Amino acid sequence: MTNLTYLIPVALSLGALGLGGFLWALKSGQYEDLDGAAERILIDLEDKSER
Amino acid sequence: MSCCAPGAEMALDLASTTSVLPSSQEIRLASRSLGGDLHQTDLSVPTVHCATCIQAIETALGKLDHVEGARVNLSTKRVAVRWRGNEVPPFVAALGRLGYEAHLFEPEVGDKDKTLSELIRAVAVAGFAAGNIMLLSVSVWSGAEGATRDLFHWVSALIAIPALAFAGGIFFRSAWNALRHGRMNMDVPIAVGVSLAYAMSLYETINHGDHAYFDASVSLLFFLLIGRTLDHVMRERARTAVKGLSQLAARGAMVLRGDGARDYLPVGEIEPGMQMLIAAGERIPVDGKIIQGASDLDCSLVSGESTPRNVAPGETVQAGVLNLTGSLTIEATAAAKESFLAQMVRLMEAAEGGRAHYRRIADRVSALYAPVVHLTAFATFLGWMAATGDWHRAITIAIAVLIITCPCALGLAVPIVQVVAARRLFENGIMVKDGSAMERLATIDTTVFDKTGTLTLGQPRLVNAGSIDPAMLAIAADMAAHSRHPFSKAIAGFAAPSGQHKFDAVTEHPGFGIEATNAGSAWRLGRRGWAGWKARTGGEGKHGYGGTVLTKDGFIVATFDFEDALRADARTAIGQLNDAGVLVEMLSGDTAGACGEVAKMLGVDDFVPCLLPSGKVERIETMAKDGHKVLMVGDGLNDTPALNAAHVSIAPATAADIGRNAADFVFLRESLLAVPLALDVSRKAGHLIRQNIAIAIIYNAVAVPIAILGHVTPLIAAIAMSASSLLVIGNALRLQTSMPNSPAKEVRRNRQSDFNELARSS
């Protein structure tokens, strides 16, 4: 029983961390262009620095 | 990356396309300020589709002067360009050089789909809460006792509060809205069930009871929100795809002031009496009278006439027609709000369609369902009170009845089928505006087609190419390449592959034709009376379109016959509709002769020619009064009121903006087979929806007696609800497999070609 007093808050805060992370990602526009993100990985970095 | 280099074919299309690049004034109008002298312009670039495209566009635009940066959004096929200064950088031209056609996109200022992000946030919160509560509940089910169980219940109650307040708010608001207007929708029983389950569980927790339904109330929200979000995403996707099509209405015009100054004014600020300069390739923004210049006008979107109209000073023109060949000076006779376009909007608003009274299946079912469920729960309460006199027990069991009947399966039954169906249609290039459109389409028994632009492409096709001397045809084709006139474009398609003729000079005489000189002889391609000035008259009027001829020094050397090209698969599509038991009729603003020909070729028995826009509406309303459910398929401005008056409507992607907005479905490909396909999928979807509702009702018939007898525990409720939801989802997915064509790869390629087609057609 005493274990629960810290285990439950730990479990919940981990979950909340994930939820917070998702909401942050959503707000900062990470999901705006999913197709583009998939393709952009193919662009070479060297070419980009030139820009 | 061969897929990506927009090769020769694209370049050719660009060269021959009728759309002119938006002028820099037009771009300025469509830009929004980001503070200071920084501006952002949103462009729709339908042909962008891979990493190379992204890189090419971003690099090329980034190199332009005054451009701060460009960002491609591949999902929405859009480019956002940020730029500084007063001069608009030539980014549209830069994109054109790369082979990407771009058109301006109406920026939605600050309205970045709030509903979707709210829904997704709600799903995330509900998912978090449901997962954690379910974990705690499993411990309770597996035998947690006494203080531990109470602790778990209390923690669950705490987690459930934000979920109910935030995620549940969507349902509570919708339910309250419905009740306030005296209606009943599916959200009412959901809201009642969820909040009662929470209240009862809280009471149980306070009194150290064994059973709490926190898990049921939150996971119910979670499931339902998933369905709702999918539904929204699907509609949103269709909406953005339709919005991404090029805008066909003029945004403004170059106004010639009395003192000779020229100003580019937005359409709304043009007043009667102002003089406007309309270049070839531009659309006329408001109704007016021509004071100078001659040209050919393409009225197909406005009146349904397939033949370009020849105009001279003194004639009146309607807003929305496309100026094809020469530049015109026009005096505005009406402001935008009194122009033809605005009249169409008024007619459209006046034509109250059947859809205004249409109630969606889900709403109709829930109108029956909710009272029955609530009465059953109440009767259970009364029954247990009478039998035992224990009010706590009676209330607990009555609420268990409400929880078990909470329409989880029913709430998913309709949207999930419509999402799957909309996806199938999307893969085939058909956009669905909302779910009720499919329900309405499934019920139709009559289809009304517009002619020009719908059954036909509205583009003339040369029919006698075979009987023309190939050498003459090649010369004509080379001359025709210098003009935008639809007839010229049809002839230009026959250019000889072996290089171009060299003419000394080529001039276009708007309204007449093209003149070229070569080695001392004058060639003319155009109207018979003008080109063949030495020929004896008499043959005039014999040929369908007034007669188009090629002449050398005034003597006719070739004549050209045109007909309006039929849309691909139009005949098959009409055959399929007939097979599906749907009556087909054609309504057109074109002449009886032109209509009769098309009707004969397509096997359409009924047609009404020479209709005004209001005439089309009247015809549809008459049919509706006779008890017919009418599907209207049309593309023109003149069809728009009819599109709105019909029970359900479909428009091709090439339709006028307002028509596309009024239609329930928009198809992107050229083939008219989209119409029978949409009908077929909608009918199958309607069938599956009925099955799903039946499944939900059977589930209730089994579960409710168990609940009434008081045998339902939270564990049983959780299993029963999940099982019924899975069953309904599984049944909906059968729609995906029931028509075994278009595997995934094919789909991707098709989608690509859709956008290419769009780029070409616009």
Side-chain angles (χ1 to χ4, degrees):
Chain A
M1 184 66 185
T2 46
N3 295 343
L4 293 177
T5 52
Y6 65 89
L7 279 180
I8 289 181
V10 164
L12 283 182
S13 58
L14 280 177
L17 202 68
L19 178 66
F22 176 74
L23 292 180
W24 168 80
L26 192 68
K27 205 176 172 193
S28 66
Q30 309 274 334
Y31 293 95
E32 298 278 294
D33 182 14
L34 292 176
D35 295 348
E39 297 280 355
R40 270 173 202 278
I41 197 169
L42 300 172
I43 301 177
D44 287 337
L45 272 177
E46 288 117 304
D47 293 345
K48 247 197 162 170
S49 60
E50 184 184 311
R51 201 166 65 131
Chain B
M1 287 284 168
S2 62
C3 75
C4 207
E9 185 203 7
M10 273 299 294
L12 209 74
D13 282 331
L14 276 175
S16 65
T17 184
T18 41
S19 68
V20 269
L21 301 179
S23 65
S24 61
Q25 294 95 331
E26 204 168 354
I27 293 176
R28 268 202 85 83
L29 275 185
S31 309
R32 65 194 153 110
S33 176
L34 297 177
D37 59 350
L38 194 64
H39 296 273
Q40 175 165 338
T41 307
D42 289 303
L43 297 171
S44 166
V45 187
T47 44
V48 56
H49 68 280
C50 71
T52 321
C53 307
I54 296 179
Q55 201 180 9
I57 291 177
E58 289 185 352
T59 321
L61 292 186
K63 276 183 189 153
L64 292 176
D65 288 341
H66 303 302
V67 171
E68 283 283 303
R71 178 89 187 171
V72 176
N73 186 327
L74 191 65
S75 314
T76 49
K77 313 262 176 201
R78 260 179 242 162
V79 182
V81 191
R82 276 168 289 116
W83 49 278
R84 288 188 180 282
N86 293 319
E87 282 293 298
V88 180
F91 39 74
V92 178
L95 283 173
R97 277 197 299 278
L98 288 175
Y100 298 100
E101 195 192 346
H103 27 248
L104 281 171
F105 187 80
E106 200 72 51
E108 294 162 82
V109 184
D111 185 31
K112 238 178 54 189
D113 199 2
K114 282 188 191 130
T115 327
L116 179 64
S117 38
E118 194 193 337
L119 274 172
I120 291 183
R121 249 178 256 138
V123 169
V125 171
F128 163 78
N132 282 294
I133 294 177
M134 202 49 92
L135 271 178
L136 295 167
S137 299
V138 169
S139 324
V140 174
W141 296 335
S142 34
E145 285 287 334
T148 318
R149 187 181 60 206
D150 281 354
L151 175 68
F152 284 176
H153 280 169
W154 275 113
V155 175
S156 302
L158 276 180
I159 304 173
I161 288 176
L164 283 187
F166 188 67
I170 293 171
F171 297 97
F172 292 137
R173 274 197 298 276
S174 157
W176 172 240
N177 245 331
L179 285 180
R180 211 179 39 182
H181 292 103
R183 285 180 292 115
M184 181 59 92
N185 66 9
M186 202 52 102
D187 293 336
V188 176
I190 292 170
V192 170
V194 166
S195 39
L196 276 183
Y198 185 81
M200 190 259 270
S201 307
L202 197 61
Y203 178 85
E204 288 288 302
T205 307
I206 293 171
N207 292 305
H208 312 289
D210 330 335
H211 296 318
Y213 290 91
F214 295 116
D215 57 313
S217 72
V218 176
S219 51
L220 187 74
L221 283 182
F222 182 49
F223 282 135
L224 289 171
L225 278 170
I226 290 178
R228 201 151 293 201
T229 310
L230 282 178
D231 189 45
H232 186 82
V233 167
M234 190 49 79
R235 266 183 295 151
E236 202 51 34
R237 208 155 134 199
R239 213 173 57 92
T240 39
V242 170
K243 280 189 108 179
L245 303 174
S246 68
Q247 196 166 14
L248 295 174
R251 263 168 227 276
M254 187 65 80
V255 171
L256 198 61
R257 301 277 191 195
D259 55 0
R262 292 177 178 197
D263 276 323
Y264 192 85
L265 291 184
V267 173
E269 290 176 22
I270 295 174
E271 283 161 19
M274 285 185 173
Q275 296 192 357
M276 301 170 287
L277 296 175
I278 310 288
E282 285 184 354
R283 278 190 193 271
I284 291 171
V286 295
D287 293 355
K289 199 174 79 186
I290 299 175
I291 44 183
Q292 208 184 334
S295 181
D296 298 282
L297 299 180
D298 177 358
C299 306
S300 59
L301 267 188
V302 173
S303 64
E305 277 171 73
S306 48
T307 321
R309 204 176 106 203
N310 218 285
V311 288
E315 291 186 53
T316 56
V317 287
Q318 283 167 322
V321 302
L322 181 65
N323 182 15
L324 288 170
T325 46
S327 51
L328 294 172
T329 309
I330 289 176
E331 187 181 292
T333 53
K337 56 182 187 291
E338 278 122 37
S339 277
F340 181 70
L341 182 69
Q343 290 169 19
M344 286 303 107
V345 175
R346 273 200 292 281
L347 252 182
M348 192 173 107
E349 282 163 358
E352 195 182 340
R355 70 190 80 178
H357 305 292
Y358 185 80
R359 292 183 65 219
R360 300 190 54 168
I361 291 179
D363 290 342
R364 275 181 282 162
V365 170
S366 60
L368 283 175
Y369 183 80
V372 170
V373 165
H374 292 159
L375 279 178
T376 315
F378 188 60
T380 311
F381 169 72
L382 289 183
W384 279 92
M385 271 303 268
T388 62
D390 179 355
W391 70 269
H392 174 251
R393 187 156 180 212
I395 274 193
T396 315
I397 292 173
I399 290 180
V401 170
L402 271 186
I403 293 172
I404 205 100
T405 53
C406 205
C408 192
L410 209 52
L412 282 172
V414 179
I416 204 82
V417 173
Q418 284 172 346
V419 167
V420 176
R423 191 181 172 80
R424 270 203 62 84
L425 291 177
F426 192 88
E427 284 166 359
N428 287 290
I430 306 165
M431 308 290 148
V432 189
K433 294 281 185 60
D434 67 17
S436 86
M438 276 189 271
E439 293 175 17
R440 280 181 276 129
L441 183 58
T443 62
I444 59 137
D445 57 8
T446 309
T447 306
V448 172
F449 284 97
D450 166 49
K451 183 180 79 73
T452 315
T454 308
L455 288 175
T456 69
L457 287 174
Q459 293 160 358
R461 193 166 58 89
L462 187 60
V463 283
N464 63 339
S467 60
I468 299 173
D469 177 2
M472 292 301 131
L473 187 57
I475 291 173
D478 289 342
M479 287 172 71
H482 294 272
S483 167
R484 286 213 171 87
H485 195 284
F487 288 177
S488 302
K489 289 203 288 178
I491 297 178
F494 289 91
S498 57
Q500 297 259 319
H501 269 267
K502 288 279 173 283
F503 295 111
D504 297 334
V506 180
T507 45
E508 179 163 16
H509 298 268
F512 297 103
I514 310 158
E515 184 168 22
T517 51
N518 181 27
S521 36
W523 294 86
R524 278 183 176 187
L525 175 66
R527 288 164 67 175
R528 180 178 295 264
W530 168 77
W533 77 92
K534 283 187 182 161
R536 279 164 297 163
T537 47
E540 204 148 351
K542 194 178 82 184
H543 296 284
Y545 286 122
T548 301
V549 296
L550 176 69
T551 62
K552 186 183 179 187
D553 295 329
F555 292 103
I556 294 172
V557 289
T559 58
F560 301 91
D561 290 340
F562 299 95
E563 66 176 27
D564 201 355
L566 291 179
R567 193 174 271 276
D569 304 318
R571 212 194 146 80
T572 332
I574 286 172
Q576 286 185 10
L577 285 174
N578 281 329
D579 291 344
V582 175
L583 294 173
V584 175
E585 191 172 316
M586 185 169 91
L587 302 182
S588 178
D590 210 349
T591 57
C595 289
E597 227 167 90
V598 171
K600 208 174 82 201
M601 273 190 284
L602 292 175
V604 178
D605 301 329
D606 300 323
F607 67 90
V608 187
C610 308
L611 278 176
L612 290 174
S614 53
K616 292 193 181 191
V617 175
E618 274 164 30
R619 178 85 190 107
I620 286 176
E621 279 172 352
T622 317
M623 282 192 261
K625 275 208 194 84
D626 296 343
H628 290 292
K629 298 255 194 286
V630 183
L631 161 68
M632 170 79 199
V633 189
D635 76 317
L637 275 177
N638 59 337
D639 298 318
T640 311
L643 286 173
N644 207 44
H647 192 57
V648 57
S649 50
I650 303 184
T654 47
D657 309 319
I658 163 177
R660 281 194 310 240
N661 289 336
D664 298 304
F665 296 79
V666 174
F667 62 96
L668 302 184
R669 302 207 186 134
E670 198 188 300
S671 166
L672 202 62
L673 283 178
V675 176
L677 179 75
L679 177 64
D680 185 44
V681 170
S682 297
R683 282 187 174 174
K684 282 199 172 115
H687 194 63
L688 280 177
I689 286 173
R690 266 177 216 105
Q691 272 181 13
N692 268 351
I693 290 176
I695 291 177
I697 289 173
I698 292 172
Y699 152 78
N700 277 313
V702 174
V704 169
I706 302 176
I708 292 177
L709 293 177
H711 295 303
V712 164
T713 63
L715 178 60
I716 293 180
I719 293 173
M721 283 200 303
S722 319
S724 66
S725 303
L726 285 179
L727 206 61
V728 168
I729 293 172
N731 192 37
L733 289 179
R734 289 198 310 136
L735 190 62
Q736 190 85 334
T737 51
S738 65
M739 281 167 277
N741 53 2
S742 72
K745 250 185 195 165
E746 186 101 348
V747 167
R748 228 188 146 73
R749 192 154 6 99
N750 283 349
R751 209 173 291 163
Q752 196 46 53
S753 64
D754 288 344
F755 284 111
N756 289 342
E757 273 160 33
L758 272 182
R760 258 166 242 165
S761 64
S762 55

